[in-house]
């Protein structure tokens, strides 16, 4: 990918890098470095590690200040909903982050640009890159603008199984069950697909890097369907 394309990403996020190589580094998936026989450390996983910590700090501070009477346990649950894989992938989609990733041909061919696990990791790597390049203030501004938005919807990603259970129990509409319908990818980067059934009818499907994450997403889809049909 040429740098002019990454310049468009800078425009999308409203941040100009002093060290442009950090942005390139943040977009470099491990499949790309493997294919190009580059050292493992050149992929974006180290930046993702750093960005995850910055995101946790900024989201914790936000919740602490916004909800002064909320107990620690509720704050922990709320933070988890903000920074979970589906939520971050949603944020990544909002800025079209998948379009800017450097991927290996195999990852590209199997839909890596749209895969939640890939785009959510890249979102954290981008946060890490902004933090290294422009400090905490710029990273915080990015997180507030692109992550800490539409929080009411995002909390369903974390609580969706519980919320679905309560909705179904209230309506006495049947027993909820989750069924694994597929898994793909190598052991270190597996993706699971799960259906949620109410009685014998499928009400939603989800995917994720763990069965639990896939179940949460399936439950979220079921909630949306139940709300739509009252």
């Amino acid at each position: 990918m040429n740098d002019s394309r990454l310049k468009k990403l800078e425009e999308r996020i409203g941040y100009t890098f002093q060290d442009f190589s950090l942005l390139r580094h943040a977009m470099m998936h491990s499949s790309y470095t493997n294919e190009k026989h580059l050292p493992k450390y050149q992929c974006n996983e180290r930046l993702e590690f750093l960005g995850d910590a910055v995101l946790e700090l900024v989201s914790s501070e936000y919740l602490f200040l916004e909800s002064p009477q909320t107990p620690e346990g509720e704050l922990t649950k709320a933070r988890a909903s903000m920074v979970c894989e589906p939520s971050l992938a949603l944020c990544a989609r909002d800025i079209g982050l998948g379009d800017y990733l450097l991927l290996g041909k195999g990852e590209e061919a199997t839909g890596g640009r749209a895969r939640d696990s890939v785009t959510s990791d890249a979102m954290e790597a981008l946060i890490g890159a902004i933090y290294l390049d422009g400090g905490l203030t710029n990273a915080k501004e990015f997180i507030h603008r692109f992550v800490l938005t539409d929080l009411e919807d995002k909390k369903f990603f974390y609580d969706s199984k519980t919320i679905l259970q309560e909705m179904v129990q209230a309506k006495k509409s049947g027993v909820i069950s989750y069924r694994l319908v597929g898994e793909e990818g190598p052991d270190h980067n597996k993706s699971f697909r799960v259906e949620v059934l109410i009685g014998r009818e499928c009400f939603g499907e989800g995917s994720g890097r763990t069965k639990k994450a896939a179940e949460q997403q399936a439950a979220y889809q079921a909630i949306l369907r139940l709300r739509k049909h009252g």
Side-chain angles (χ1 to χ4, degrees), residues 64-106:
F64 184 86
L65 296 175
E66 286 290 307
S67 311
Q69 297 180 339
T70 303
E72 179 267 343
E74 290 301 310
L75 291 174
T76 301
K77 283 174 71 176
R79 183 181 63 198
S81 71
M82 292 176 182
V83 300
C84 69
E85 183 180 289
S87 181
L88 286 178
L90 194 67
C91 301
R93 276 198 292 280
D94 286 344
I95 58 175
L97 198 59
D99 296 341
Y100 302 97
L101 292 172
L102 292 162
L103 299 176
K105 287 175 186 164

Side-chain angles (χ1 to χ4, degrees), residues 27-44:
M27 294 300 102
M28 200 174 289
H29 187 256
S30 57
S31 62
Y32 180 86
T33 54
N34 289 342
E35 191 175 277
K36 300 290 183 185
H37 305 293
L38 297 170
K40 171 74 173 167
Y41 64 81
Q42 285 194 16
C43 77
N44 65 4

